[in-house]
Amino acid sequence: MLHWCSRMEADSQISSKKYAADISSIKEAQKCISSYVHKTLVLSSETLNSFCGRMLYFKCECFQKGGAFKFRGACNAIFSLDDTQAGKGVVTHSSGNHAAALALAAKIRGIPAYVVVPKNAPKCKVENVKRYGGQIIWSEASMQSREEITTKVLQETGGVMIHSYNDRRIISGQGTISLELLEQVPQIDTIVVPVSGGGLISGVAIAAKSINPSIRILAAEPKGANDAAQSKAAGEIVKLPETKTIADGLRAFLGELTWPVVRDLVDDIIVVEDNEIIEAMRHCYEILKVAVEPSGAIGLAAVLSDSFRNNPAWKDCKHIGIIVSGGNVDLGLLWDSLNKAEP
């Protein structure tokens, strides 16, 4: 266990950098959402441990309400609103799990959720939004269309905008994962986290490094959407002209609130191919017996990749927490992908 002074020092170091969230806002988020969210299981597998010669601990956010970690941030954002703000409802644009999470959290509070959804969003995730009572407004697939329609909805409703990742309340809510995980498995020395817009990894990194300054935070990213890796290399936010990956939840770009955290607190980014993600999904199904979407399987794909296993920098990563971020998978897409991956 860390000496108390070490924890205070870590808290001070992270707070002094003035990130969008800090350990205090994350602990407040935990108090705010504790009666609404699931404290998710941590699973392990001797078989998967043997594949990589490490101890792996899977934090199963696929078992969270709404089927993904996004409910934590959405819940914190919605229950942080005062009654006047909440009364007009909340607004967002999302192609996936954030849309459903916000709809569910709004339903629990009894307020409207207006969700701008691009026409190419995965069917299973759209169905979740409908199931939770979200009011869907369709847009074209482009970010320009999504943002323009969202602006119009905000003007018409007077609702509160809840961005899917570039929001202090969202980042703080996602950070509660670290508080749970490091309580459940204190010996963890490394956490592997999917990265997209950066809300999840920002919250996880801030909380984990505040608790244990020496812990390693590694991001996992698909090669077809490797803007975070390119951003780290360039020292500034890089946005790609297009993304192409089976991991539909990992196509967003870093925001101005999440980039500084990724820049400063994420130790490295492991980029994997889609076929590696598909193989990791197969392992999750066949060995862990857990339904995982591509974005949720990418952490395992990263740990099993040659670029991680053969990198001497990570030889001391012995106890690895893997954030299984979600389980909302389009089964038709999954079967097609698995069949294509057959030798």
Side-chain angles (χ1 to χ4, degrees), residues 160-180:
V160 178
M161 176 66 188
I162 309 290
H163 196 277
S164 59
Y165 56 88
N166 210 46
D167 185 301
R168 171 184 171 84
R169 300 160 297 187
I170 294 290
I171 294 169
S172 297
Q174 319 309 22
T176 62
I177 294 173
S178 283
L179 301 185
E180 285 183 14

Side-chain angles (χ1 to χ4, degrees), residues 59-131:
K59 180 63 168 165
C60 292
E61 286 297 297
C62 49
F63 297 149
Q64 187 54 259
K65 289 181 182 178
F69 76 93
K70 292 282 191 178
F71 183 66
R72 293 175 183 267
C75 209
N76 188 48
I78 280 180
F79 283 93
S80 296
L81 299 175
D82 63 38
D83 290 342
T84 302
Q85 292 173 313
K88 295 182 179 179
V90 290
V91 181
T92 197
H93 62 83
S94 169
S95 61
N97 289 327
H98 174 69
L102 199 72
L104 177 56
K107 180 180 180 181
I108 292 171
R109 184 152 185 189
I111 64 174
Y114 305 98
V115 185
V116 176
V117 179
K119 293 176 181 176
N120 65 340
K123 183 179 178 182
C124 66
K125 297 183 180 181
V126 174
E127 290 303 315
N128 280 345
V129 178
K130 293 178 180 177
R131 186 178 301 118

